[in-house]
Amino acid sequence: MADLVRIRNFCVIAHVDHGKTTLSDRLLETTGTVPLREMREQLLDSMELEREHGITIKARAVRMAWRDHELNLIDTPGHVDFTYEVSRSLAACEGAVLLVDASQGIEAQTLANAYLAVEQGLEVIPVINKIDLPNIDLDVVREELRTTLGFREDEILLASGKTGAGVEELLDAIVERVPAPTGDPDAPLRALIFDSHYDAYKGVVAHIRVVDGALAAGDRIRLMATERESDLLELGVFVPDARPIERLVTGEVGYVATGLKAVADCRVGDTLTLASRPAAEPLPGYRPAKPMVFAGFYPSNAEDYPELKDALEKLRLNDASLLYEPETSQALGFGFRAGFLGLLHLEIVQERLEREYDVGLIATSPSVEYRVITQKGAEVAIDNPALLPDPGTIVEIREPWMKVTIIVPTTHVGPVMEVAQNKRASLLDMSYVDPTRAMLKYEMPLSELIVDFYDQLKSRSQGYASLDYEFAEYRAADLVRLDILVSGSLVDALSIITHRDRAQLSGRVLVSKLRGLIPKQMFDVRIQAAIGGKVIASETVKAKRKDVLAKCYGGDITRKRKLLEKQKEGKKRMKMVGSVEIPQEAFLAVLRIGDET
Amino acid sequence: MTRGIGLYVHIPFCASRCPYCDFATAPARTTLRVAYLEALREEIAREGRALGRPRIRTLYVGGGTPSLLDPSEIELLAGALREAFDVRPREATIEVNPATLDRVRLDAWLALGITRMSLGAQSFDARGLRALGRTHQPQDSTAALVAARDAGLDTNLDLIFGWPGQTVADWQRDLEMAVALAPDHVSCYPLELRLDPEASVANWPGGGWPVLERWRQRTAAAQPDDAGVARLYRLAEGVLARSGYRHYEIANWARPRKRSLHNLGYWRDRDWLGVGAGAHTHLGGVRSANPVELRTYIAHARSGSARSADLESDPRAEAAMLALRLDTGLDLRRYRIRFGDEAVTRVRFALAEVSRARLVRWSGDRASLTARGRLLASEVFVRLLP
């Protein structure tokens, strides 16, 4: 237990691949928290998926000792979908290390998070990382840090996570510059939950920062927003493995095994207090999870519905931002409508369902939540295009708009602006973060942002553009529903809501994409796009002409059967809609409309 | 077993490997040749004893290239067969590669009692033979067929269509050439190239044959598309029907009373024993197979270890699929006697959709493939799997 004035709580803000994990590992090593021989590569990232996506989803805090101080490194999620989680991690700190890759410069999202840290009153320590790389121009990066965030030359540190250069100086700067926590040790307990995860043995584990008061092993705890109470099972700190302790006091960071069964009961941003002596007011800033992107999840095989339900329930244990409810589609049968923080969140959930839970999944195209004003004056939220009311009853449809920040090399500004224009974006501002890189600020509809915008941005800027976005407001728009008919029947799961001006083109492109994605069947399959019952585009998948294993291999029936079994497996991954087999990719065809528009 | 069984004997040796072939094959001069033939004779003797010296109703010596065997090797094989089995076949076929069969060898086979020769002509077009990587010449096939008929044998011609560059006119000429030679039986196979690894295929791409893999990739890319191959198949149906051949199985045509009895045994789900590398067996309702790889086969045959059974075999599905390959189709009354009411219900259910799509036609309780159904047979069969 440390004296309040000897505690330093900080996080590291960095873009993917700018070396956060390597530097964090180096901090653990230099402080002797983890002896060198026990160092595992990239210690803080634990989940396989996180490594593949190059991001850290689940924050953790690690305690270190440096020059008689207790340093708590609080990890932050690194993706735009998790802005709220980032803000709660920041709220648990007094300081932030802003890590910028010497060869890459500052990225849009890093900048957004750095602004967030400044707004929350954190002491930000700028560090230029990877100084061991050849052909780098430190002056350019220094200028970026000056122009964008107003740092002075002498505030900027240089480091290399790879060689360990500058790491001791950084630790010293953290001790010197980051303020000690403030808080009232005698007040009723108020601890900020900045992360939580589900542990199969310990139930929900909350990562907390004690703001006021203290918490002891065996206390009965209360969560102020969800109003849950529980006897805590274990109290501890990560060093970096979990080590149980007796007490956590004001200013400290640690974990609590809450004894709760679902992370939804123990939400990020909530305030943890004592049941015996509850705080009067929770800490500010709590916000329930707000899904922005929605998609239908259906089992490829109707009989797998219980498995999908079970898998979603298990995922939800560990992901409070994942919301879902049962949904029925005429085309796809029984499934779920799920809400996500963003497109990446959706992809992660989808991959985990398929990879960890082995559920064959049909995911429909992602949709945003529209607000429909009806003639009766009601406002209806619609997150599934198929449920859009009869156009005759609609006065107005509103869609969510986002504030978007893009940082891009000046050489690629033209193509990037073109991409944005195609996405109905309006330019608010353009400035320069340094002589070679521009910062573009746009407003654009979220529905355009989630359809392939990021990929196009990356490809048109040769991978150099970076992106950050946040919700702005709902705005009225001239929107229509585009329906897809396969062999004359409407496939509700393929309907999209689109801007009227673009509906014709989208219809044609979508139909042509579907023709390429739906395999040949035993008969001709007609694919049509329609608006309000009027067909605007039509194509045909011609019938399959030959599919036969003719050769008689000396009575080798086994081999024929195995080849047929493979074929049957392929069929299983498709969804029977009427008498047409539609593969999973077809339901995401709308994501590829952008390739041709 | 009173009616006898079919016997398949596999001779894997080939003068050169045909790059599209998926059978167990080995170079003609392999050092394993003597050991292989010894092992084969041991297997024949052991199986004959185990089965109580059954009658061989049909015999089929396939390969590989059985016609490459020397007269002394044929005599030893014949001796082993007679010793182990009651060899009184209604039909005995050898597969022959054009340009490999000389008079002395033919006499040796005739002494064994063969009645039928299946000739791997593949094409009468020099470009076709080149495209298929074959080493013989068109005239070799003609000579071999005439020699076989002169020796009093029934004849079959194997043809392959759908090779790169083949036009409808090319195929028409091949078919007319075949018909002009008046064989008793014709097999026409579309060129099917497996590109993905399969354990049961000895020489699949990726299995250490980069040249073969490249050939298959290149050839597959240059083949006519499915619609083109379908057109060629329809052409064969027309030409052969007009010449008096009955299209009795998906890839097989025959003059009256000249259907391949041995192969009919496969399709009618009868009992047969297969000996040699990669040979398949179906006895007492159980399917099993020998190892494909030569050394493994020899070791197994010597040590007397059993063929490995196909544990995933599903007799109900297989019997239905095999019957549907024939023009006589699947007779559900007979099927009910063998497998019961529930199996019949399953088959009817499985065939409902393909019947609506006109791939299968019904005449009373008998289902058979339509012309389209023969081209899309996999769509039908895949539905019969459990």
Side-chain angles (χ1 to χ4, degrees), chain B residues 74-98:
Chain B
I74 299 170
E75 277 158 28
L76 283 170
L77 177 66
L81 288 172
R82 287 203 197 88
E83 178 91 24
F85 301 102
D86 174 14
V87 188
R88 282 182 294 131
R90 287 183 56 201
E91 174 193 281
T93 306
I94 55 157
E95 278 184 349
V96 167
N97 209 3

Side-chain angles (χ1 to χ4, degrees), chain A residues 95-106:
Chain A
V97 172
L98 171 63
L99 200 63
V100 180
D101 186 321
S103 65
Q104 308 280 315
I106 200 157

Side-chain angles (χ1 to χ4, degrees), chain A residues 69 119 183 202 233 239 257 293 346 352 389-390 400 452 476 482 521:
Chain A
H69 283 71
E119 275 168 34
K202 293 175 180 166
L233 302 176
V239 285
V293 176
L346 186 161
R352 291 191 64 186
D390 181 342
D452 175 51
L482 182 70
Q521 323 256 324

